[in-house]
């Protein structure tokens, strides 16, 4: 397809994606859900599970296969910039004060899901349509464990922001635990892909390079970026040259993390974390957030929805497997994070709230399973099961969180917010 024709498809797709995402997102808000949950559901609706089921010819005409690469790039740009904005709200002081609790929650949120994954995989490996034939049982167990253990980091950030918890100790604790869980899941995914592809150099580069990049950004990048803050005046607009410099830095960080085999989103998040706080980050959020949230981020949800086929869940073997995976996903993550938070000295209110928030999978789940599908580790059946799990766990996060807060009268976290 020539570039001139690709641009025609892109603008038509963008118009439909933005309109449908806004409509379903506003409906989700009326039902007490964050708008981002509705946007994720809108992405599934635009795929073969609903739009393709009702009007397959029209759905294929709007989203032909040659345009998927173009949509993928726009989706990665959106999720990467969103994670940069999330990083600019990260509070290091709260992290230091609650690092013990965050690490305990993170470890528990990884260990129990992996134990459940290794217990289920010997059976799931025999179910047709879930794992590729050449995927060994150990690789399948590690991938399933990473998929169950991962937390919807961007979703978690958006729910925290919409509930007024951004910058609070509870919000920072949940974000920190989610970040550690996701980083561990990405390292394990790198190991799975290296084993699956027969090359361990990729895993070494991903883990070592990721740690090295994070240390550089924390100890060196933070000092270099402090000079940017002196160029901003609180009573004046953000200079266009400074915005260009920040976007160039974001692109370099995203490139570095993508090149070593982690993911661009972590490059954006780390850059946001080390940006100087104050007028600079406030003006950056004001300049970027509306366009990123409204226009770019829904493209990622749609790209994932186009690869989802919920009709496969009607196959009896896959349906039973889906029930087992859903039970392990809900019970493993929520119970483990709640128990770890309580043992670390958190109040029952905060522990239950953390368990509810950490149980959401959403965006990061979609990223990791898209990689697994593209690499040939999993098949469309398991992909669809894990998309359903991502949607359901994220749908449950906000009602469960609200129920916890109402049941105990709000708690210190909501008072702080």
């Amino acid at each position: 397809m020539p570039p001139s024709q690709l641009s025609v498809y892109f603008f038509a797709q963008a118009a439909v994606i933005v309109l449908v995402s806004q409509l379903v997102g506003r409906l989700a808000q009326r039902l007490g859900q964050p708008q981002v949950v509705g946007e994720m559901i809108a992405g599934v609706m635009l795929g073969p599970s609903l739009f393709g089921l009702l009007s397959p010819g029209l759905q294929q005409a709007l989203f032909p296969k040659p345009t998927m690469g173009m949509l993928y790039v726009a989706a990665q740009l959106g999720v990467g910039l969103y994670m940069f904005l999330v990083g600019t709200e990260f509070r290091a002081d709260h992290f230091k004060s609650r690092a013990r609790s965050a690490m305990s929650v993170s470890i528990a949120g990884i260990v129990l899901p992996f134990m459940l994954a290794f217990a289920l995989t010997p059976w799931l490996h025999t179910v047709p349509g879930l794992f590729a034939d050449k995927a060994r049982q150990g690789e399948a167990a590690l991938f399933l464990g990473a998929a169950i253990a991962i937390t919807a980091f961007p979703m978690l950030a958006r729910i925290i922001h919409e509930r007024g918890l951004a910058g609070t100790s509870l919000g920072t604790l949940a974000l920190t635990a989610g970040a550690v869980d996701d980083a561990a899941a990405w390292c394990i995914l790198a190991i799975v892909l290296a084993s699956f592809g027969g090359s361990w150099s990729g895993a070494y580069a991903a883990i070592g390079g990721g740690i090295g990049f994070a240390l550089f950004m924390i100890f060196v990048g933070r000092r270099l970026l402090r000079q940017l803050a002196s160029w901003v005046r609180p009573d004046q607009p953000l200079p266009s040259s400074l915005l260009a410099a920040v976007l160039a830095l974001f692109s370099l960080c995203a490139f570095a993390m993508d090149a070593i085999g982690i993911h661009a989103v972590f490059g954006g998040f780390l850059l946001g974390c080390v940006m100087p706080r104050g007028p600079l980050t406030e003006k950056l959020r004001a300049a970027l957030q509306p366009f990123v949230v409204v226009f770019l981020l829904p493209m990622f949800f749609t790209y994932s929805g186009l690869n989802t086929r919920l009709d496969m869940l009607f196959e009896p073997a896959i349906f039973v497997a889906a029930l087992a995976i859903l039970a392990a996903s809900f019970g493993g993550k929520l119970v483990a994070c709640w128990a770890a938070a309580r043992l670390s000295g958190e109040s029952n209110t905060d522990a239950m709230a953390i368990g509810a928030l950490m149980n959401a999978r959403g965006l990061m789940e979609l990223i990791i399973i898209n990689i697994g599908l593209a690499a040939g580790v999993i098949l469309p059946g398991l992909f669809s099961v894990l998309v359903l799990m991502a949607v359901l766990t994220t749908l449950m996060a906000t009602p469960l969180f609200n129920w916890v807060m109402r049941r105990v009268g709000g708690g210190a976290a909501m008072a702080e917010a």
Side-chain angles (χ1 to χ4, degrees), residues 156-242:
L156 178 63
R158 186 114 172 237
I159 293 171
I160 287 173
H161 176 77
E162 291 187 9
R163 289 295 176 267
L165 294 173
T168 66
S169 56
L170 172 61
T172 301
L173 171 59
L175 282 174
T176 304
V180 174
D181 275 10
D182 285 4
W186 282 111
C187 291
I188 292 168
L189 177 63
I191 294 173
V192 173
L193 295 178
S195 174
F196 192 73
S199 173
W200 284 94
S201 60
Y204 297 143
I207 298 172
I211 294 173
F213 181 80
L215 293 175
F216 173 81
M217 293 298 291
I218 293 170
F219 294 106
V220 180
R222 187 190 300 274
R223 296 180 181 179
L224 297 176
L225 289 168
R226 284 175 185 167
Q227 302 177 13
L228 295 177
S230 62
W231 299 348
V232 180
R233 298 289 181 268
D235 57 340
Q236 295 180 1
L238 182 70
S240 58
S241 58
L242 185 55

Side-chain angles (χ1 to χ4, degrees), residues 73-132:
V73 174
Q76 299 310 302
L77 175 63
V79 73
L81 280 172
Y82 184 71
M83 288 309 299
F84 165 73
L85 295 173
V86 169
T88 62
E89 293 188 302
F90 186 79
R91 292 281 300 273
D93 56 338
H94 284 159
F95 168 69
K96 292 175 183 177
S97 66
R98 307 186 81 171
R100 178 172 173 268
S101 296
M103 291 306 299
S104 299
V105 171
S106 298
I107 292 171
I110 293 170
V111 172
L112 184 55
F114 270 92
M115 291 174 62
L116 294 173
F118 272 88
L120 288 174
T121 300
W123 162 55
L124 295 176
H125 201 249
T126 63
V127 177
L130 298 184
F131 292 102

Side-chain angles (χ1 to χ4, degrees), residues 32-407:
Q33 290 284 347
Q35 184 170 341
V36 67
V37 176
E39 293 169 0
M40 183 169 62
I41 295 173
V44 176
M45 290 171 59
L46 288 171
S49 298
L50 183 63
F51 187 20
L53 185 66
L54 299 176
S55 182
L58 185 58
Q59 198 265 351
Q60 286 295 318
L62 181 60
F63 296 104
K65 193 171 183 179
T67 66
M68 290 300 97
M70 171 185 63
L71 189 60
Y72 174 82
V73 174
Q76 299 310 302
L77 175 63
V79 73
L81 280 172
Y82 184 71
M83 288 309 299
F84 165 73
L85 295 173
V86 169
T88 62
E89 293 188 302
F90 186 79
R91 292 281 300 273
D93 56 338
H94 284 159
F95 168 69
K96 292 175 183 177
S97 66
R98 307 186 81 171
R100 178 172 173 268
S101 296
M103 291 306 299
S104 299
V105 171
S106 298
I107 292 171
I110 293 170
V111 172
L112 184 55
F114 270 92
M115 291 174 62
L116 294 173
F118 272 88
L120 288 174
T121 300
W123 162 55
L124 295 176
H125 201 249
T126 63
V127 177
L130 298 184
F131 292 102
D133 292 337
K134 60 179 181 178
R136 295 188 290 270
Q137 192 172 115
E139 296 166 347
L142 285 174
F143 182 89
L144 183 62
I148 295 177
I150 206 163
T151 295
F153 194 34
M155 291 284 194
L156 178 63
R158 186 114 172 237
I159 293 171
I160 287 173
H161 176 77
E162 291 187 9
R163 289 295 176 267
L165 294 173
T168 66
S169 56
L170 172 61
T172 301
L173 171 59
L175 282 174
T176 304
V180 174
D181 275 10
D182 285 4
W186 282 111
C187 291
I188 292 168
L189 177 63
I191 294 173
V192 173
L193 295 178
S195 174
F196 192 73
S199 173
W200 284 94
S201 60
Y204 297 143
I207 298 172
I211 294 173
F213 181 80
L215 293 175
F216 173 81
M217 293 298 291
I218 293 170
F219 294 106
V220 180
R222 187 190 300 274
R223 296 180 181 179
L224 297 176
L225 289 168
R226 284 175 185 167
Q227 302 177 13
L228 295 177
S230 62
W231 299 348
V232 180
R233 298 289 181 268
D235 57 340
Q236 295 180 1
L238 182 70
S240 58
S241 58
L242 185 55
L243 178 61
V246 171
L247 290 175
L249 287 172
F250 160 77
S251 299
L252 287 174
C253 292
F255 160 76
M257 295 302 276
D258 246 345
I260 63 176
I262 304 281
H263 198 276
V265 295
F266 286 101
F269 176 70
L270 283 172
L271 177 62
C273 286
V274 301
M275 291 294 293
R277 297 301 186 260
L280 174 59
T281 51
E282 293 172 6
K283 292 181 182 295
L284 283 171
R285 285 195 294 268
L288 295 174
Q289 189 159 323
F291 180 73
V292 171
V293 171
V294 174
F295 188 80
L296 289 177
L297 194 57
M299 293 188 183
F300 179 81
F301 298 132
T302 301
Y303 180 81
S304 298
L306 293 172
N307 290 315
T308 303
R309 288 186 54 199
L310 295 181
D311 59 303
M312 298 189 70
L313 300 179
F314 291 107
E315 298 180 16
I318 294 181
F319 178 76
V320 175
L323 293 178
I325 292 172
L326 287 171
S329 302
F330 274 94
K333 193 75 174 179
L334 191 151
V335 173
C337 293
W338 167 79
R342 288 292 289 148
L343 291 173
S344 299
E346 299 295 329
S347 67
N348 191 52
T349 305
D350 286 0
M352 292 175 69
I354 289 166
L357 292 172
M358 292 287 288
N359 194 48
R361 300 321 195 284
L363 187 58
M364 299 307 289
E365 181 74 21
L366 298 182
I367 294 173
I368 199 171
I369 62 177
N370 271 287
I371 293 174
L373 184 66
V377 179
I378 63 174
L379 298 177
L382 183 56
F383 181 90
S384 299
V385 170
L386 294 175
V387 167
L388 179 64
M389 183 265 281
V391 171
L392 291 179
T393 55
T394 310
L395 275 172
M396 288 298 298
T398 298
L400 188 56
F401 176 79
N402 291 339
W403 176 79
V404 169
M405 290 303 173
R406 285 195 301 268
R407 181 172 177 268

